[in-house]
Amino acid sequence: DNSVRCVTLVAMRELWCARNLAVATASFSAADFVPSGQLVDPRTRSLVINGYLGSGCLHFFDVARDRHVMDLEVIPRNPGTVITGAELAVVPPRVRFLSFSAAGDSMATVEVSQPPSPAVLKFWSYLPSRQTYELNSRLDAPHKADVTAIASHPSRYMLVTGSRDRTFKIWSRVR
């Protein structure tokens, strides 16, 4: 029935259900998913997942009200191409990592496209007047190697990124 149900194992009852989901028609691999899986926006309690394959969007879904909240275009929809032999392949961009501030008034994303393109770290601020997130800062190649993790501080406007180059960096918002 195109739905995802969260069931408590103790009482064996349904806690919530997300309906009207669409099955992806394109082929994809595990690399296409956000490694952290789905997250919950602390501001609205919306479930946040990657949009359809290659869209570069984050999909916000209100599970309690069973309704779509918004799509946020994180990566402009202008995919690059790679020539492999005689074939021309469209390379879908991906949001690899996502982290919200504790209050949900800011978030950070890491996007990747086809190597050798570096990762891009973006910081977003929530605009209550427009009911959406707006790009605040963009940082190309935040590390010398692939970004492997991000995490927000639980009470401050700080973010930590980790990398395959065995370094971590602490990012702090300056007002």
Side-chain angles (χ1 to χ4, degrees), residues 100-121:
F100 288 98
S101 65
D105 56 351
S106 64
M107 77 174 175
T109 58
V110 174
E111 65 188 56
V112 294
S113 56
Q114 185 68 25
S117 297
V120 178
L121 174 62

Side-chain angles (χ1 to χ4, degrees), residues 22-26 32 49-59 71 77 92-93:
V23 177
T25 56
D32 295 316
I49 58 176
N50 259 330
Y52 62 88
L53 181 64
S55 71
C57 290
L58 292 175
H59 180 72
D71 284 325
R77 294 181 191 174

Side-chain angles (χ1 to χ4, degrees), residues 91-149:
V91 180
R94 295 188 296 266
V95 177
R96 286 280 287 161
F97 297 101
L98 165 67
S99 184
F100 288 98
S101 65
D105 56 351
S106 64
M107 77 174 175
T109 58
V110 174
E111 65 188 56
V112 294
S113 56
Q114 185 68 25
S117 297
V120 178
L121 174 62
K122 292 181 179 177
F123 294 93
W124 303 80
S125 297
Y126 185 75
L127 298 176
S129 62
R130 293 185 44 214
Q131 297 285 307
T132 190
Y133 287 89
E134 179 179 67
L135 183 61
N136 179 308
S137 303
R138 173 193 167 115
L139 187 66
D140 294 334
H143 287 271
K144 292 178 183 174
D146 294 339
V147 174
T148 56

